[in-house]
């Protein structure tokens, strides 16, 4: 549990550090921000749950991408976790989004969805919006999890630019970064 605000770079490093196959996570474009200390541990755990799901449902030779972007107009921040996995039928995407919104009881679903319930409860606690959707890139497979952190979760302190510990490893699949990010973030640049 942190008490002081935490840089987004440290939140992401901590979340990636919680997953077993962390080497397959590529951090691409992360704009600077800070998260309030009271929400930081929950944001880390929420992201770790989503990253773990993305890794589990992606082929072992594929990377999971993370991107983050500020939204000054609403004083919020959006993170995207993009996999190139097997995807989900639309009805399963709808069910996953209900779990992520905290709209279903975890006692009625198989345990393989427990991560969705955990992420949904953590998000609900802080007013964080989490949604999964099919990849917005035409012809691409996989799922994109979008996490919108509202203003109360963010701290007003200036943030340092994100500097990954090593150069990012490009994913083995070609995805244009600009259209994906514009669509995932929900706003046009």
């Amino acid at each position: 549990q942190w008490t002081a605000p935490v840089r987004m770079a440290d939140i992401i490093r901590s979340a990636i550090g919680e997953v077993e196959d962390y080497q397959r996570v590529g951090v691409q474009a992360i704009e600077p921000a800070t998260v309030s200390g009271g929400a930081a541990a929950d944001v880390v755990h929420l992201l770790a749950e989503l990253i773990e799901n993305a890794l589990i449902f992606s082929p072992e030779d594929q990377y999971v991408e993370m991107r983050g972007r500020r939204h000054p107009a609403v004083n919020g921040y959006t993170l995207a976790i993009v996999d190139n996995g097997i995807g989900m039928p639309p009805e399963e995407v709808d069910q996953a989004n209900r779990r992520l919104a905290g709209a279903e009881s975890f006692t009625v679903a198989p345990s393989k969805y427990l991560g969705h319930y955990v992420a949904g409860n953590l998000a609900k606690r802080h007013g964080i919006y989490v949604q999964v959707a099919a990849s917005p890139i035409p012809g691409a497979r996989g799922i994109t999890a979008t996490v919108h952190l509202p203003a109360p979760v963010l701290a007003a302190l200036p943030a340092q630019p994100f500097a990954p510990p090593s150069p990012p490893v490009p994913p083995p699949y070609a995805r244009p970064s600009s259209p994906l990010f514009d669509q995932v973030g929900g706003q046009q640049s």
Side-chain angles (χ1 to χ4, degrees):
Q1 187 86 18
W2 288 286
T3 55
V6 182
R7 292 182 319 136
M8 188 61 69
D10 295 327
I11 294 286
I12 292 169
R13 283 185 186 111
S14 295
I16 292 171
E18 283 192 18
V19 299
E20 183 177 341
D21 208 3
Y22 64 90
Q23 306 93 328
R24 290 180 42 223
V25 181
V27 179
Q28 300 300 318
I30 301 292
E31 292 182 4
T34 51
V35 174
S36 68
D42 286 345
V43 172
V44 166
H45 194 63
L46 184 154
L47 293 174
E49 291 287 350
L50 296 172
I51 293 167
E52 185 70 27
N53 277 352
L55 289 167
I56 288 170
F57 291 105
S58 292
E60 291 183 12
D61 63 341
Q62 300 292 310
Y63 282 83
V64 169
E65 294 180 29
M66 286 194 69
R67 300 175 181 274
R69 174 179 175 177
R70 287 179 178 267
H71 294 287
V74 294
N75 198 21
Y77 193 93
T78 299
L79 289 152
I81 301 164
V82 183
D83 73 46
N84 194 38
I86 59 176
M88 296 168 69
E91 61 276 2
E92 287 186 28
V93 170
D94 291 342
Q95 290 173 341
N97 284 326
R98 282 195 298 277
R99 289 189 294 268
L100 290 166
E104 285 188 2
S105 169
F106 75 92
T107 60
V108 297
S111 61
K112 72 178 184 176
Y113 299 121
L114 184 58
H116 286 169
Y117 294 108
V118 171
N121 284 327
L122 292 170
K124 193 174 184 179
R125 182 181 302 168
H126 298 284
I128 297 170
Y129 176 75
V130 181
Q131 181 179 20
V132 295
S135 174
I137 303 299
R141 295 174 46 192
I143 294 292
T144 298
T146 305
V147 179
H148 178 72
L149 305 175
V153 173
L154 302 174
L157 295 178
Q160 301 297 316
F162 180 78
S166 60
V169 178
Y173 51 91
R175 286 192 180 213
S177 62
S178 180
L180 168 68
F181 195 71
D182 291 343
Q183 291 176 9
V184 170
Q187 298 182 6
Q188 295 296 321
S189 298

